[in-house]
Amino acid sequence: MQTDPSQHVQLQVGPSGRAMAESMDPALLEGFQAHFNMERQAQATYFGAAIWMGERELRGFSRHFNDEAKGEQEHAAKVAEYLIARAQSPELHALEAPDQDWNSVLDVMSTAFLTERDVTSSLQQLLITAERVGDSRSAVFLESMVEEQIQAEHEAAHLLGRTKFAAGQAAAVLVIDNELREGVAHPAQLQ
């Protein structure tokens, strides 16, 4: 007579009943949940910026921010997938209505830079927490995200600097808008 092996093996499971290879530190899990929702909030912020730019006929800026919104949605999905892989349930929190009452393109670009800065800081704190609690799975997952995020912050700083340099002059803003419409948003390459 054969016995069912599952009756003798105790599997650790997450909230949804999914098998869990390694439990996650509660503080780290809380940080991941907060970051997941931060990415969702960034998506809403960038979509609001895309709308604001579209209303002002700045098609390149609008396209850029729409692409950024899609990127933030992908980042949120990546974090959600990681949480699911770790047998955790991603928690959708209510989002705040994004600001759509900017006074200038420079204000929008400042918001974008600050958003990227905050997302970078959140990821860096998560990585520090993962390393502190010895969660190498999370550390490996986060390292590539931090690297990608630092580049996104660099690009946001570049666009903020170009916009600031334009000093609100319509012709200069339209040059940047045209570059963004053509997909050029990258800082100068020095190597």
Side-chain angles (χ1 to χ4, degrees):
M1 180 164 147
Q2 290 185 341
T3 60
D4 183 358
S6 65
Q7 292 177 358
H8 301 291
V9 177
Q10 281 289 40
L11 293 176
Q12 193 174 12
V13 297
S16 68
R18 190 165 209 253
M20 180 186 318
E22 178 183 14
S23 63
M24 189 179 281
D25 178 84
L28 183 61
L29 175 58
E30 183 180 326
F32 267 109
Q33 297 287 11
H35 186 78
F36 166 62
N37 285 288
M38 177 182 270
E39 295 281 7
R40 293 176 57 241
Q41 187 68 53
Q43 184 273 334
T45 297
Y46 287 145
F47 191 59
I51 291 168
W52 191 91
M53 294 294 188
E55 290 174 329
R56 283 147 188 84
E57 307 300 338
L58 294 169
R59 293 175 298 175
F61 280 101
S62 184
R63 175 185 169 189
H64 171 75
F65 280 114
N66 196 40
D67 289 346
E68 291 296 306
K70 290 175 186 174
E72 298 303 333
Q73 175 63 32
E74 289 171 7
H75 296 160
K78 186 175 183 177
V79 173
E81 288 172 357
Y82 179 72
L83 287 170
I84 291 168
R86 292 293 302 270
Q88 301 302 318
S89 296
E91 297 173 359
L92 293 166
H93 297 163
L95 299 179
E96 296 177 21
D99 187 5
Q100 287 184 268
D101 193 27
W102 293 284
N103 293 319
S104 67
V105 173
L106 182 59
D107 287 348
V108 179
M109 299 312 296
S110 295
T111 296
F113 172 75
L114 294 173
T115 298
E116 294 299 333
R117 179 201 66 187
D118 291 347
V119 171
T120 301
S121 179
S122 175
L123 282 170
Q124 289 172 324
Q125 288 303 311
L126 271 174
L127 179 56
I128 289 166
T129 301
E131 290 172 342
R132 182 179 48 77
V133 301
D135 189 327
S136 60
R137 293 169 191 242
S138 292
V140 168
F141 171 76
L142 290 164
E143 284 172 358
S144 64
M145 287 192 72
V146 168
E147 188 175 322
E148 182 181 323
Q149 183 56 39
I150 289 170
Q151 182 60 34
E153 183 182 294
H154 178 45
E155 288 177 6
H158 162 72
L159 288 173
L160 174 59
R162 298 230 340 130
T163 305
K164 193 173 185 177
F165 186 75
Q169 296 176 29
V173 170
L174 288 173
V175 166
I176 299 167
D177 186 64
N178 188 51
E179 290 174 350
L180 290 172
R181 198 171 73 240
E182 293 174 5
V184 179
H186 308 292
Q189 299 292 314
L190 302 177
Q191 50 179 333

